[in-house]
């Protein structure tokens, strides 16, 4: 029976290993999510850049036409092109903001990983300290426990006899 039971140190080590594997899996998952977010932000920035270039070329063409013919229809098209360029710039700024947030998230993930790693190391150190204390302590603990058990046992017997006498006295006045 004692061979089948695991000692506390082995249980702690097993728990530490499980926690480390969970931390590693979580770190991997978070890192892949962060990389995906960065890739997505880069793709958005690239699309915004391409759209901005296309709109700028369109704007350049429209401005050339506007110089040749300055009527109201062309002016409206120029205004639309300006608004499209402004929209593309906003898209590019948004994409850059997403990239910055993804980089910040990646930095936070690295910090979380380092904290988890430090916690796992602290747990291992605690397990080692526990091992070293349990090897030296059993002799002291057994002698103190034996001495402590004798004294309370005598007090407990005295209290039990006092408790038994008290209800007997109280029972007599109730019956009369």
């Amino acid at each position: 029976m004692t061979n089948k039971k695991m000692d506390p140190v082995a249980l702690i080590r097993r728990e530490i290993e499980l926690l480390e594997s969970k931390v590693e899996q979580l770190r991997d998952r978070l890192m892949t999510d962060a990389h995906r977010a960065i890739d997505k932000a880069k793709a958005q920035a690239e699309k915004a850049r391409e759209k901005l270039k296309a709109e700028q070329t369109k704007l350049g063409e429209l401005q050339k036409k506007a110089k040749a013919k300055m009527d109201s229809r062309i002016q409206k098209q120029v205004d639309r092109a300006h608004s499209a360029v402004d929209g593309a710039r906003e898209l590019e700024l948004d994409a850059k903001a997403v990239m910055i947030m993804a980089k910040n998230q990646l930095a936070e993930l690295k910090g979380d990983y380092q904290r988890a790693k430090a916690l796992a190391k602290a747990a291992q150190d605690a397990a080692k300290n526990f091992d070293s204390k349990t090897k030296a302590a059993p002799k002291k603990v057994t002698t103190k426990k034996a001495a402590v058990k004798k004294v309370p046992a005598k007090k407990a017997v005295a209290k039990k006899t006092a408790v038994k006498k008290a209800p007997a006295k109280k029972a007599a006045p109730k019956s009369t």
Side-chain angles (χ1 to χ4, degrees):
M1 282 256 167
T2 56
N3 291 343
K4 290 182 180 179
K5 289 184 180 177
M6 293 184 77
D7 62 323
V9 175
L11 289 173
I12 290 172
R13 284 186 183 145
R14 184 172 162 218
E15 187 67 25
I16 288 170
E17 290 174 9
L18 287 173
L19 288 173
E20 285 178 344
S21 68
K22 285 181 182 179
V23 165
E24 191 64 29
Q25 289 173 353
L26 222 169
R27 183 191 72 82
D28 290 342
R29 190 177 325 132
L30 291 174
M31 293 296 278
T32 56
D33 289 347
H35 286 297
R36 282 185 198 147
I38 288 171
D39 292 342
K40 186 176 179 181
K42 285 180 181 177
Q44 284 179 346
E46 189 61 34
K47 284 180 184 177
R49 212 174 286 123
E50 290 173 6
K51 188 172 182 179
L52 179 64
K53 285 180 183 178
E55 292 297 330
Q56 283 177 342
T57 56
K58 198 180 209 183
L59 177 63
E61 291 172 6
L62 287 174
Q63 284 176 341
K64 287 177 185 175
K65 287 180 184 179
K67 286 180 184 176
K69 285 185 176 179
M70 210 41 168
D71 65 350
S72 65
R73 276 188 286 159
I74 293 179
Q75 186 61 40
K76 286 179 185 178
Q77 287 179 345
V78 169
D79 292 340
R80 278 190 226 130
H82 278 291
S83 66
V85 168
D86 291 339
R89 284 185 183 144
E90 288 178 14
L91 275 175
E92 185 178 16
L93 289 175
D94 288 345
K96 285 180 181 178
V98 169
M99 276 183 51
I100 290 170
M101 287 189 298
K103 286 179 182 178
N104 289 341
Q105 185 181 16
L106 186 62
E108 288 175 9
L109 291 174
K110 285 180 182 177
D112 290 344
Y113 173 71
Q114 289 172 349
R115 282 190 290 277
K117 195 172 180 181
L119 283 174
K121 183 171 179 2
Q124 282 181 335
D125 293 343
K128 287 178 184 176
N129 286 343
F130 181 76
D131 286 343
S132 64
K133 286 181 182 180
T134 54
K135 288 178 182 175
K139 293 179 183 176
K140 293 179 183 177
V141 172
T142 54
T143 57
K144 287 182 181 178
K145 283 187 178 178
V148 172
K149 284 184 181 178
K150 290 179 184 176
V151 175
K154 290 179 184 177
K155 288 182 182 178
V157 172
K159 286 182 183 177
K160 286 181 183 176
T161 56
V163 171
K164 287 180 183 176
K165 290 179 183 178
K169 290 180 183 177
K170 288 183 182 176
K174 286 182 183 176
S175 61
T176 48

